[in-house]
């Protein structure tokens, strides 16, 4: 008798398993709302960048000097026509003179001097990128969208979130390079 009971129990268990497998539906992804939030965020960021690009293009069109647009979305204009042939690279030890401005030309802060700006995290990425395209010893005006300036948070002090930035910059090279 115990063998018969065990066989019946085995058959019932197998039938239950087979029946259970055919009755369940596939589960939906757990965090569908996260992907929609990411899509919303991407959509808002694209719209913000498109708006700022239009604002900067209009600003550049109103200036009295020619501007060059880089492939990464920064515009710059050199103040002098005689172009120096010295540019910084990763081995340079430059000094950056920086004056951050609103689109109307009023400064956010007093002009600052930044030693070795290539390693300074407070320098906006748009300025760091364009520094390699601006000859040493020439003053330049740089305009960039907020994504390459201080982004969606601003600088935490005077520069508001999502604000395009204009900067006047001047790059010099230090004659003595310190070994690490």
């Amino acid at each position: 008798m115990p063998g018969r009971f065990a066989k019946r129990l085995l058959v019932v268990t197998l039938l239950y398993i087979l029946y259970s497998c055919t009755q369940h539906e596939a589960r939906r992804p757990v965090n569908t709302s996260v992907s929609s939030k990411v899509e919303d965020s991407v959509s808002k960021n694209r719209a913000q960048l498109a708006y700022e690009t239009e604002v900067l293009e209009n600003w550049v069109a109103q200036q009295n000097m020619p501007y060059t647009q880089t492939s990464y979305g920064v515009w710059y204009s050199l103040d002098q026509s005689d172009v120096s042939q010295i540019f910084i690279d990763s081995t340079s030890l430059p000094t950056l003179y920086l004056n951050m401005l609103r689109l109307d030309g009023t400064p956010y802060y007093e002009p600052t001097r930044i030693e070795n700006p290539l390693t300074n995290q407070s320098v906006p990425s748009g300025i760091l990128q364009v520094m390699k395209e601006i000859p040493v010893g020439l003053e330049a005006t740089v305009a960039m969208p907020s994504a390459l300036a201080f982004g969606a948070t601003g600088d935490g002090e005077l520069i508001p979130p999502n604000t395009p930035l204009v900067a006047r910059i001047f790059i010099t090279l230090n004659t003595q390079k310190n070994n690490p």
Side-chain angles (χ1 to χ4, degrees):
M1 291 274 201
R4 248 171 148 191
F5 178 74
K7 286 181 184 176
R8 282 187 182 175
L9 182 59
L10 180 60
V11 169
V12 169
T13 304
L14 287 174
L15 287 174
Y16 176 75
I17 290 172
L18 288 173
Y19 177 76
S20 297
C21 288
T22 61
Q23 296 300 315
H24 287 286
E25 294 180 18
R27 289 184 0 188
R28 292 185 179 149
V30 176
N31 288 326
T32 55
S33 63
V34 170
S35 64
S36 65
K37 287 180 185 176
V38 169
E39 288 174 16
D40 273 354
S41 176
V42 169
S43 177
K44 287 178 183 176
N45 286 338
R46 282 186 182 146
Q48 180 68 29
L49 181 58
Y51 168 74
E52 290 180 20
T53 299
E54 184 178 342
V55 166
L56 287 170
E57 286 172 346
N58 290 333
W59 181 85
V60 166
Q62 294 173 3
Q63 303 308 303
N64 293 330
M65 49 189 146
Y67 275 78
T68 302
Q69 184 179 12
T70 66
S71 60
Y72 42 86
V74 174
W75 288 263
Y76 69 92
S77 179
L78 303 176
D79 286 355
Q80 299 171 349
S81 60
D82 56 329
V83 177
S84 160
Q85 295 301 312
I86 301 171
F87 295 86
I88 65 167
D89 60 22
S90 61
T91 63
S92 302
L93 190 61
T95 297
L96 173 67
Y97 294 87
L98 173 65
N99 190 5
M100 293 184 283
L101 310 168
R102 294 171 179 84
L103 292 177
D104 68 2
T106 59
Y108 282 107
Y109 300 101
E110 292 294 318
T112 59
R113 177 182 173 178
I114 301 170
E115 298 290 334
N116 200 9
L118 300 176
T119 60
N120 188 317
Q121 293 183 358
S122 67
V123 177
S125 65
I127 292 173
L128 291 176
Q129 291 174 359
V130 82
M131 279 180 65
K132 295 176 182 169
E133 298 182 35
I134 295 176
V136 172
L138 294 182
E139 192 168 350
T141 302
V142 180
M144 72 202 82
S146 66
L148 296 172
F150 293 101
T153 59
D155 76 339
E157 294 180 30
L158 296 179
I159 301 174
N162 297 319
T163 302
L165 184 68
V166 174
R168 300 278 299 158
I169 67 172
F170 181 79
I171 305 164
T172 62
L173 288 176
N174 296 336
T175 56
Q176 296 177 340
K177 184 173 180 180
N178 298 330
N179 291 330

